[in-house]
Amino acid sequence: MPKTGEQQPAPEHPFAAFIRILGKGKTSTRSLDQSEARQAFTMILRGETEPLQLGAFLMLLRVKEETPGELAGFVEACRENMLAPPPGLSADLDWSSYAGKKHQHPWFILAILLLTQAEHRVFIHGAKGHTPGRLYTEDAMRQLNLPVASNWNEVGIQLEKQYLSYLPLEAFCNPLEALIQLRHLLGLRSPVNTLSRMLNPLRATASLQSIFHPAYARLHLEADRLLGQSRTIVFKGDSGEVEIKPHADTTVHRLSAGEMDQFLLPRMLRDRATSVEAPDVEPLRALWQGKSNDPYGLNASLATTASALMVIRPELDLQSAQKQAARLWKNRDLARLT
């Protein structure tokens, strides 16, 4: 029997088991399986961990590098704990936008407008403010008077009327948004920045994702396959956004009906582009309205459109998708951006 007044050891915190799995040592450490990852991230989203545990967990994953099973489990936890969309709300294409533009203007927005002109319903989700010096999609869309929603009901109305809607992550999964905003404390991106791109909260059949590092492409596709995603295209986009860089060869990675492949999208411009002083939306407006001629912006917009068409309509090959993108550009509604 312990002596009177003797302090008893605190019982082990339930989350400690997951940290032990990841950090037990060089020979004993292992990855979480998909079920363990879902359980661990559920505890995080519900606020059932201590700050010290959260930091240790995220950085151990960062050093080890995530597995497809871990990412799939994390996404499942987010889907189970987020504010769910109403039944029947759907989109043709899920477009994740979490990086913000740094080196070039957000030309991909023109690609999105071309897709909506073809009556493809595009749902965009993202976060902003976590990295200084970047123009985030939410801000760019507001400046262009494009639809930004504050809840799922508004998303439904916007998709019905304009075939386009952006919903900030904080509006449907605020705990995950809070984790993304930890970058200024950790000094690094964490696995949260990867899994957020695969959320696909409306379960769109087609998903378009961008990565910072080429090695992550297969990780995204394998995780999406575990999640039952029908079609995904992943590539290294400008600044981490879903935008083809026309001055570089781009390897496009694709998942369709459980099978993975890849193809090369050759560069369209010979010379490397110079970074803009500050990303802005006015060049988009000018190009769209035919008031300027920007080869970089036009090629980036058309190539990104073609890539999106290939994941929405898997029967299209690259040449057919490029021709369709060019037709959409030629017939664009000049009054859409005024």
Side-chain angles (χ1 to χ4, degrees):
M1 294 291 293
K3 296 179 180 178
T4 303
E6 183 176 316
Q7 187 175 6
Q8 297 300 304
E12 183 175 273
H13 192 287
F15 193 76
F18 299 113
I19 298 175
R20 185 164 52 248
I21 290 172
L22 298 175
K24 199 170 184 180
K26 200 168 188 178
T27 58
S28 301
T29 292
R30 65 172 176 84
S31 298
L32 303 172
D33 63 32
Q34 190 168 333
S35 176
E36 290 168 335
R38 184 176 65 252
Q39 294 173 50
F41 217 75
T42 294
M43 292 184 68
I44 290 172
L45 293 172
R46 293 178 179 177
E48 297 171 356
T49 61
E50 298 296 327
L52 182 64
Q53 294 177 315
L54 177 58
F57 183 79
L58 293 177
M59 289 301 98
L60 283 169
L61 282 168
R62 169 78 184 199
V63 172
K64 178 186 73 68
E65 297 187 348
E66 316 91 289
T67 65
E70 287 171 335
L71 284 176
F74 298 157
V75 171
E76 287 175 333
C78 292
R79 289 176 175 177
E80 292 167 1
N81 289 276
M82 72 182 189
L83 182 62
L89 182 57
S90 64
D92 299 315
L93 178 63
D94 180 83
W95 191 299
S96 56
S97 184
Y98 289 84
K101 291 304 293 289
K102 180 179 180 181
H103 302 294
Q104 302 294 335
H105 306 302
W107 299 111
F108 65 89
I109 292 178
L110 299 188
I112 293 172
L113 292 182
L114 293 180
L115 295 171
T116 63
Q117 185 173 291
E119 299 187 352
H120 298 301
R121 294 159 62 96
V122 182
F123 173 67
I124 313 168
H125 51 98
K128 65 175 186 174
H130 48 80
T131 306
R134 290 178 178 252
L135 175 60
Y136 290 95
T137 302
E138 179 180 346
D139 294 329
M141 291 187 66
R142 290 187 186 279
Q143 292 169 30
L144 291 167
N145 297 315
L146 296 175
V148 175
S150 58
N151 55 56
W152 287 123
N153 288 335
E154 290 183 6
V155 169
I157 294 170
Q158 292 171 354
L159 286 175
E160 186 67 26
K161 292 183 176 181
Q162 301 185 56
Y163 297 94
L164 170 63
S165 183
Y166 175 100
L167 186 65
L169 179 64
E170 63 183 349
F172 65 94
C173 195
N174 192 57
L176 188 60
E177 158 78 13
L179 294 177
I180 288 179
Q181 299 302 332
L182 291 177
R183 168 130 193 229
H184 74 286
L185 292 177
L186 300 175
L188 295 167
R189 286 182 174 84
S190 74
V192 176
N193 298 83
T194 302
L195 72 92
S196 59
R197 288 166 161 79
M198 291 181 283
L199 284 177
N200 193 358
L202 295 185
R203 308 295 201 279
T205 302
S207 173
L208 199 56
Q209 301 166 21
S210 176
I211 51 176
F212 280 99
H213 306 294
Y216 273 68
R218 188 172 184 85
L219 179 66
H220 278 244
L221 295 187
E222 289 181 348
D224 264 350
R225 183 160 59 181
L226 290 173
L227 290 165
Q229 177 65 33
S230 296
R231 299 192 298 274
T232 303
I233 274 182
V234 180
F235 57 83
K236 181 181 178 181
D238 183 69
S239 296
E241 285 289 356
V242 179
E243 181 179 297
I244 296 290
K245 294 182 284 189
H247 61 265
D249 295 334
T250 300
T251 301
V252 179
H253 303 263
R254 179 170 52 187
L255 171 70
S256 183
E259 298 297 322
M260 292 185 288
D261 68 351
Q262 64 184 54
F263 61 91
L264 184 68
L265 184 59
R267 68 182 64 199
M268 292 142 276
L269 301 176
R270 184 182 63 184
D271 298 328
R272 184 169 184 82
T274 303
S275 296
V276 299
E277 185 174 338
D280 192 5
V281 300
E282 290 309 314
L284 277 66
R285 202 189 308 269
L287 180 62
W288 183 267
Q289 294 174 353
K291 296 179 180 179
S292 73
N293 178 25
D294 190 315
Y296 183 97
L298 179 59
N299 280 283
S301 301
L302 293 181
T304 304
T305 303
S307 298
L309 287 170
M310 290 182 70
V311 73
I312 295 173
R313 299 175 54 192
E315 74 277 8
L316 293 178
D317 58 21
L318 178 57
Q319 186 177 24
S320 299
Q322 289 171 328
K323 289 180 178 178
Q324 176 68 10
R327 284 194 294 269
L328 289 170
W329 179 261
K330 182 179 179 181
N331 298 319
R332 69 192 183 280
D333 179 6
L334 298 180
R336 185 71 188 273
L337 292 183
T338 56

